[in-house]
């Protein structure tokens, strides 16, 4: 266990990051089909306006139900999470590019990438919690694999 835990000052590879904004329309699994369809139509309308050249921030203020709607949909920094379909969609975009309408578990989204930061070296202690956890799990898995290959476990 201890061998898998990086030292706080250890330099590790941080994942790519993106500063994003989004527009969202919520729905609930208990909502009827009408509410879900209305939410999707509103998002498609916002997407058409984006494609026609309207400002993302203005559309977020007008269409989004997110708590960040008042500041133009600005959501801050997110980090790439391999295998997560929303993360994959965001990180497939270039700077200043926006997604199509993406269906989540309880909302429809349109994401915009404001800026991208490639993967970089950082001290383990400075990584966001979810990436510390992922790195630890990867190292623990490798450590257990190595130990079982040497007859130490299992």
């Amino acid at each position: 266990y201890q061998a898998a835990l990086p030292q706080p000052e250890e330099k590790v590879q941080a994942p790519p990051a993106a500063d994003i904004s989004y527009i969202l329309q919520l729905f609930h699994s208990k909502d009827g089909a009408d509410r879900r369809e209305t939410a999707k139509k509103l998002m498609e309308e916002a997407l058409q306006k984006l494609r026609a050249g309207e400002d993302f921030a203005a559309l977020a203020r007008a269409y989004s139900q997110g708590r960040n709607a008042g500041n133009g949909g600005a959501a801050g920094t997110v980090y790439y999470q391999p295998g997560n379909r929303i993360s994959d969609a965001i990180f497939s975009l270039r700077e200043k590019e926006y997604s199509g309408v993406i269906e989540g578990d309880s909302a429809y989204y349109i994401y915009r990438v404001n800026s991208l930061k490639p993967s970089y070296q950082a001290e383990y202690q400075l990584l966001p919690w979810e990436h510390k956890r992922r790195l630890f799990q990867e190292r623990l898995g490798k450590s257990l694999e190595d130990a079982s290959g040497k007859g130490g476990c299992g």
Side-chain angles (χ1 to χ4, degrees):
Y1 170 83
Q2 288 298 322
L5 191 59
Q7 296 301 309
E9 300 82 24
E10 182 180 341
K11 294 280 187 180
V12 295
Q13 197 66 27
D19 178 69
I20 65 165
S21 298
Y22 64 80
I23 300 169
L24 78 87
Q25 277 288 314
L26 298 165
F27 59 81
H28 190 274
S29 60
K30 294 181 181 178
D31 287 341
D34 289 348
R35 170 62 195 129
R36 194 179 199 121
E37 189 58 33
T38 298
K40 188 171 186 177
K41 283 181 182 177
L42 286 169
M43 293 300 283
E44 288 171 350
E45 184 178 306
L47 183 60
Q48 286 177 345
K49 290 181 177 188
L50 277 170
R51 289 180 176 153
E54 290 194 34
D55 180 61
F56 190 96
L59 290 169
R61 284 189 283 276
Y63 284 86
S64 187
Q65 293 178 313
R67 66 177 187 266
N68 57 344
N71 63 352
T77 302
V78 296
Y79 295 88
Y80 181 59
Q81 299 173 34
N84 176 299
R85 72 179 183 82
I86 301 287
S87 185
D88 289 342
I90 290 169
F91 283 89
S92 71
L93 300 171
R94 294 185 301 261
E95 287 188 1
K96 312 299 182 210
E97 196 172 39
Y98 53 85
S99 70
V101 176
I102 298 172
E103 183 175 346
D105 292 335
S106 59
Y108 290 105
Y109 298 88
I110 299 171
Y111 291 97
R112 180 181 190 270
V113 172
N114 303 315
S115 65
L116 288 168
K117 183 175 185 176
S119 181
Y120 60 98
Q121 289 282 313
E123 288 183 10
Y124 176 76
Q125 65 188 349
L126 300 177
L127 290 178
W129 180 85
E130 64 269 16
H131 297 295
K132 289 179 184 177
R133 183 188 61 176
R134 182 182 51 78
L135 182 61
F136 171 72
Q137 288 172 335
E138 287 172 4
R139 287 188 177 188
L140 182 60
K142 174 126 177 55
S143 180
L144 292 173
E145 228 175 71
D146 291 348
S148 67
K150 295 176 187 169
C153 288

